[in-house]
Amino acid sequence: MKIGITGATGQLGRLVVEQLKHRLGAESLVALVRSPEKAADLGIASTMFDYDKPETLFEGLEGIEHLLLISGNEVGQRKVQHQRVIDAARQAGVKWIVYTSLLHAATSTLSLAAEHVETEALLQASDIPYTILRNGWYTENYTGSIPGALQAGAFVGSAGEGKISSAARADYAEAAAIILSSDGHIGNVYELAGDEAYTLHDLAAEISKQTGRNIPYNNLPEADYAGVLASQGLPQSVAEAIASWDVGASKGDLFDDRKVLSNLIGRPTTPLAESVKAGLLFSEN
């Protein structure tokens, strides 16, 4: 059996590949990537797979029985790109697609949700057996801002008192590998989130604790936070999107307390303190 992994050279994809190599062996895996040369260090077979070159999709999926479709990173293009992959998968005879969606996609107010809901609908209409992994927020989405917070002397955002049930990428990667290497998941939709819910005030307090510095959380209006992000060099549209996601967090879009993820991987999800420690170590390098 061959398992294809799209986005295998991305931050999540690489972690999934390592988990699957451990569980199933490298010979069972194929990295489906735009630049196969970038996949050389993965230790598995790789093939050209470009969402914007449909002719590569069928060829890349020939012989693939199970497919992990990690959602594309081009917001606004995902529905079209995912449709192409699903069409090619049907043509190539793929027997199962596992898709990484968004936590509570059907009810989320996050701007990211729409394309995930549309992709889920495409899968449901495809006649290909599927499983949907609705991944919550990656803790790294916030800990990646630690260097800037230390430099500025404060952690800023627009999440208010919203509780965030994030988990480390490694937790979600392990869940995906478990799903792909075991039976009984077809047709299921998994709402995946971290065990520990925290506010950005809590995150700032943990940063302060570990650094011995007073790093407060400053909650800003959405437009002001977008302005801060834009001043750091982000494109205005990206800055506005990130700020809007924080506002979504304030409304509960990133909260879930059912512990589906930890039950699936058979261990607690990575604690916030551990992720902060990793973020601090990264900031020192």
Side-chain angles (χ1 to χ4, degrees):
M1 178 186 70
K2 290 289 185 181
I3 297 174
I5 302 103
T6 72
T9 55
Q11 291 175 303
L12 178 64
R14 286 181 173 275
L15 294 171
V16 175
V17 167
E18 288 307 308
Q19 284 282 337
L20 285 173
K21 283 166 63 176
H22 174 71
R23 294 172 183 277
L24 299 175
E27 65 280 357
S28 301
L29 310 176
V30 179
L32 304 172
V33 292
R34 287 179 177 174
S35 303
E37 64 275 9
K38 293 182 179 179
D41 62 333
L42 291 176
I44 63 174
S46 63
T47 189
M48 165 74 77
F49 198 79
D50 190 329
Y51 295 149
D52 295 324
K53 296 179 180 178
E55 68 276 8
T56 70
L57 303 182
F58 172 75
E59 294 175 3
L61 291 172
E62 284 191 292
I64 299 295
E65 295 179 64
H66 297 168
L67 173 66
L68 175 62
L69 175 54
I70 295 177
S71 56
N73 58 13
E74 296 182 51
V75 177
Q77 300 299 315
R78 286 169 162 172
K79 180 185 178 183
V80 171
Q81 292 175 339
H82 295 165
Q83 176 74 77
R84 291 170 182 160
V85 174
I86 293 167
D87 289 344
R90 185 190 303 108
Q91 184 182 4
V94 171
K95 297 178 181 178
W96 183 28
I97 297 177
V98 178
Y99 174 65
T100 62
S101 184
L102 176 72
L103 182 68
H104 302 154
T107 58
S108 177
T109 69
L110 298 187
S111 60
L112 295 169
E115 289 181 301
H116 287 297
V117 171
E118 290 168 343
T119 300
E120 290 183 13
L122 293 173
L123 285 169
Q124 292 161 3
S126 71
D127 295 325
I128 301 174
Y130 65 86
T131 301
I132 295 171
L133 307 181
R134 287 181 171 170
N135 287 355
W137 225 232
Y138 302 132
T139 309
E140 291 89 344
N141 291 347
Y142 284 123
T143 58
S145 299
I146 288 177
L150 295 176
Q151 183 176 6
F155 198 99
V156 299
S158 295
E161 298 299 326
K163 292 185 176 181
I164 301 161
S165 305
S166 70
R169 278 195 184 90
D171 299 330
Y172 295 109
E174 186 173 349
I178 288 170
I179 294 291
L180 285 159
S181 60
S182 58
D183 298 324
H185 305 291
I186 288 176
N188 291 348
V189 177
Y190 294 95
E191 302 283 1
L192 304 178
D195 292 343
E196 180 183 5
Y198 59 90
T199 67
L200 293 189
H201 288 285
D202 297 328
L203 173 57
E206 184 61 37
I207 296 170
S208 300
K209 177 182 176 181
Q210 293 196 28
T211 60
R213 295 175 55 187
N214 179 28
I215 306 294
Y217 170 60
N218 291 342
N219 195 66
L220 303 177
E222 181 178 353
D224 291 352
Y225 181 36
V228 169
L229 294 171
S231 72
Q232 295 172 348
L234 288 178
Q236 186 65 34
S237 60
V238 175
E240 290 174 356
I242 293 173
S244 75
W245 301 338
D246 250 25
V247 173
S250 76
K251 299 176 181 177
D253 284 331
L254 303 183
F255 175 73
D256 185 282
D257 60 359
R258 286 174 285 182
K259 299 187 177 181
V260 176
L261 177 54
S262 57
N263 286 333
L264 184 59
I265 63 180
R267 61 169 177 80
T269 56
T270 304
L272 177 62
E274 187 174 324
S275 291
V276 168
K277 182 178 180 180
L280 287 168
L281 288 172
F282 179 80
S283 71
E284 293 172 358
N285 296 329

